[in-house]
Amino acid sequence: MTQVIRSGEWLRPDSGIGLGLDDVEPGTFNMSISTDRYTCPEYAALERERIWSRVWQVVGRVDDLPKVGDWKRYQILDQSYVIVRGKDEKLRGFVNACRHRGNMLCMTNTGNAKRGLLCQYHLWSYDLEGKLRGVLRENLSGQIDKSDNSLLAVSVDTFGGFIFLNPDPDAQPLREYLGDKVIELIEPYRLDQMTTVMDVREALDCNWKVVMDAFEEGYHINGIHPQLLAVLNIDPATTRYQFFENHSVAVAPFEVQGAGAQKQVDGIMALPETFPGTAAVIPRFQELVAPYQNADGEVEFPESVTARSLLQQATRDTLTGFGLDVSGLTDDQMSDNQGWVLFPNFFMTVRAGECHIIMAVPHPDGDPNRCIWHVSSYMFLPAEHRDAFRADLIEVEEPGSYKYFEALHQDYVQMPRQQKGLRNNRLDHMSLVKEEVVIGHFHSVIDRYMAEATS
């Protein structure tokens, strides 16, 4: 009988797949990062040409567009696109401009155009496949060839419940860009079955890469997130990595090394303050801990039991009870957040039943010292609770007015401080330490894109 290999098996030190820090040879990735890539307008302009016009980027969730005619707008710098669900249920993307005189078709973030897209300027109309259908006073319009004036199509595809768009007319297929191994490792989480429970977008005073860098390493946890030390082991010796052509994944075990049983339990009980998605698991966790409490309520575990193993069992039991198939995930994936970087701007921490996404894009005004960050969280919920917990997009207009959860707020405050430091003229590079190897890989991919001549 063939043994089924689950997506988390790569974490085993004997798997021959995952890497430890000592397995990454010096010089493999760029660990000296020039600061001009964060502050230089000319560098930002080249990024626009060589990265943002050529890569697949997440523009939303499939369930954002549930009905025929539903559309949403996506903007990267000054380029605007619209994604619409057709009568055949297929999602299509178009340049958000009328073929007559370029007027923008969709001015708001979302809407429905069941009868097709209409330009409000001269009332040219298009069907949901982008074909030009109506021209005002067509009998007087002259030599207008409708077949030659369809909306300009852009590539759109989906994975894990996310909608991806690529502005490049010659874009490689999404699944090819992601790669078979990445798809194989992420699919068992069943992201497409999760519900959006937080969705916030806000302008920040830092470069988009400052945001990406911040979430690609755990080196800053002691300084910025001391509360996480109760449950997150950041011993670099136990962190495991996989690096792909454009993407990467890393994970550090979710446990307190060397702590007694009671401290381990207390740390897990405090998890919902920082990771709200764990709240649903706590009741089952308490049930599993109860047999190990003495008359004074203190917890004592035998050698074969840990708070970590009970958290994993509680998570599996809870999610299975909710109806989520987690059979393709290992016990480690019940408790440990794997940190995925999908180039260029998608960072995801994911464990069974929940994930948190950080994305950042250049600010539309092109200033390299500013960006738009987009943070969102997704959970698997029983069907009867999904509508109650589903969150709409919040556009934050006043800085500091939105209350992020604790760890996210700490990063929110820190990132603009780094950008201020990077603007000092005499600071010409950053020097990464070994455990920031994911940042090194990320910037090595940037280097490759920036060095490639456009076709």
Side-chain angles (χ1 to χ4, degrees):
M1 183 175 178
T2 304
Q3 183 180 6
V4 177
I5 303 299
R6 293 182 291 179
S7 75
E9 297 292 343
W10 71 271
L11 285 171
R12 296 196 331 262
D14 62 348
S15 69
I17 303 173
L19 302 175
L21 275 184
D22 290 341
D23 300 318
V24 182
E25 294 294 330
T28 302
F29 304 125
N30 179 9
M31 303 296 278
S32 179
I33 311 299
S34 62
T35 56
D36 64 351
R37 67 180 59 195
Y38 298 90
T39 61
C40 175
E42 290 76 19
Y43 191 93
L46 198 58
E47 279 184 342
R48 169 192 171 122
E49 174 190 342
R50 298 195 174 180
I51 295 178
W52 296 108
S53 66
R54 299 176 55 203
V55 295
W56 286 96
Q57 45 212 282
V58 170
V59 302
R61 291 283 288 176
V62 172
D63 57 13
D64 291 342
L65 305 175
K67 302 188 297 294
V68 170
D70 282 349
W71 58 262
K72 72 178 302 172
R73 185 179 61 170
Y74 175 69
Q75 182 159 322
I76 180 67
L77 292 160
D78 62 355
Q79 301 299 291
S80 184
Y81 305 95
V82 59
I83 302 94
V84 62
R85 186 174 293 281
K87 292 181 179 179
D88 56 0
E89 299 293 335
K90 183 177 179 179
L91 293 175
R92 294 178 175 84
F94 305 104
V95 172
N96 188 14
C98 179
R99 293 300 306 279
H100 174 215
R101 283 170 52 191
N103 191 60
M104 186 175 284
L105 295 170
C106 299
M107 299 296 294
T108 57
N109 287 331
T110 60
N112 182 275
K114 190 173 183 178
R115 296 181 179 178
L117 297 167
L118 177 67
C119 176
Q120 296 294 332
Y121 196 4
H122 299 98
L123 303 183
W124 281 33
S125 60
Y126 302 84
D127 66 18
L128 299 180
E129 296 181 1
K131 297 176 182 176
L132 178 60
R133 287 304 186 206
V135 174
L136 181 64
R137 291 193 285 275
E138 186 173 347
N139 61 322
L140 300 176
S141 62
Q143 301 300 313
I144 295 295
D145 184 349
K146 286 185 179 180
S147 65
D148 194 40
N149 282 277
S150 297
L151 295 179
L152 299 170
V154 291
S155 297
V156 168
D157 205 344
T158 64
F159 171 69
F162 292 96
I163 303 170
F164 289 74
L165 177 147
N166 193 324
D168 185 355
D170 300 316
Q172 68 183 130
L174 173 63
R175 296 184 77 86
E176 187 178 309
Y177 176 76
L178 294 175
D180 291 341
K181 179 56 68 173
V182 170
I183 292 170
E184 177 186 321
L185 293 177
I186 294 178
E187 274 187 333
Y189 286 105
R190 304 187 183 278
L191 302 179
D192 57 320
Q193 298 181 30
M194 295 187 186
T195 299
T196 306
V197 296
M198 182 184 77
D199 198 20
V200 182
R201 191 159 55 201
E202 180 175 359
L204 291 184
D205 289 332
C206 64
N207 187 272
W208 69 275
K209 295 181 294 297
V210 165
V211 176
M212 295 304 297
D213 293 351
F215 292 91
E216 292 173 356
E217 47 88 3
Y219 190 49
H220 71 280
I221 288 178
N222 293 62
I224 302 300
H225 311 301
Q227 80 282 359
L228 295 184
L229 297 176
V231 287
L232 181 58
N233 170 31
I234 55 170
D235 180 1
T238 64
T239 302
R240 306 294 291 173
Y241 307 90
Q242 276 203 73
F243 298 105
F244 309 95
E245 181 181 8
N246 294 319
H247 320 297
S248 67
V249 59
V251 62
F254 222 60
E255 63 181 337
V256 184
Q257 291 286 357
Q262 188 61 55
K263 186 176 180 182
Q264 293 177 38
V265 170
D266 290 344
I268 288 172
M269 292 298 295
L271 277 176
E273 297 176 13
T274 302
F275 299 101
T278 58
V281 174
I282 292 299
R284 177 59 178 151
F285 175 73
Q286 289 176 301
E287 291 177 0
L288 295 172
V289 168
Y292 303 102
Q293 291 177 307
N294 61 28
D296 296 326
E298 289 293 309
V299 178
E300 297 177 3
F301 289 139
E303 190 171 329
S304 60
V305 176
T306 65
R308 171 183 169 83
S309 65
L310 295 184
L311 174 64
Q312 292 171 343
Q313 183 181 340
T315 302
R316 191 177 292 277
D317 291 350
T318 300
L319 292 173
T320 300
F322 284 168
L324 179 65
D325 179 7
V326 293
S327 61
L329 303 176
T330 63
D331 287 343
D332 286 337
Q333 290 171 292
M334 297 298 110
S335 58
D336 300 347
N337 278 292
Q338 296 194 13
W340 278 92
V341 181
L342 301 184
F343 189 81
N345 69 326
F346 181 94
F347 176 80
M348 171 177 67
T349 57
V350 59
R351 69 183 190 94
E354 68 173 318
C355 70
H356 305 275
I357 308 297
I358 307 290
M359 294 187 289
V361 296
H363 196 279
D365 67 10
D367 182 353
N369 297 288
R370 305 178 72 200
C371 73
I372 305 292
W373 90 328
H374 190 166
V375 297
S376 51
S377 295
Y378 307 88
M379 293 173 53
F380 182 82
L381 297 168
E384 63 269 22
H385 297 310
R386 289 171 190 164
D387 289 342
F389 285 90
R390 193 182 307 276
D392 294 325
L393 176 65
I394 295 173
E395 297 273 11
V396 180
E397 301 294 341
E398 181 182 347
S401 62
Y402 183 82
K403 184 175 176 59
Y404 299 97
F405 61 80
E406 183 179 24
L408 203 56
H409 179 75
Q410 290 163 335
D411 289 304
Y412 170 82
V413 171
Q414 164 58 34
M415 292 182 292
R417 291 200 295 253
Q418 182 185 359
Q419 186 69 27
K420 289 181 179 178
L422 289 169
R423 297 178 74 165
N424 284 287
N425 292 334
R426 290 189 60 192
L427 183 70
D428 62 2
H429 71 281
M430 305 187 311
S431 299
L432 302 182
V433 301
K434 195 172 183 180
E435 62 186 276
E436 294 171 313
V437 65
V438 174
I439 300 178
H441 174 266
F442 172 68
H443 282 272
S444 295
V445 178
I446 289 176
D447 290 343
R448 174 161 46 82
Y449 268 84
M450 294 294 278
E452 291 176 356
T454 55
S455 57

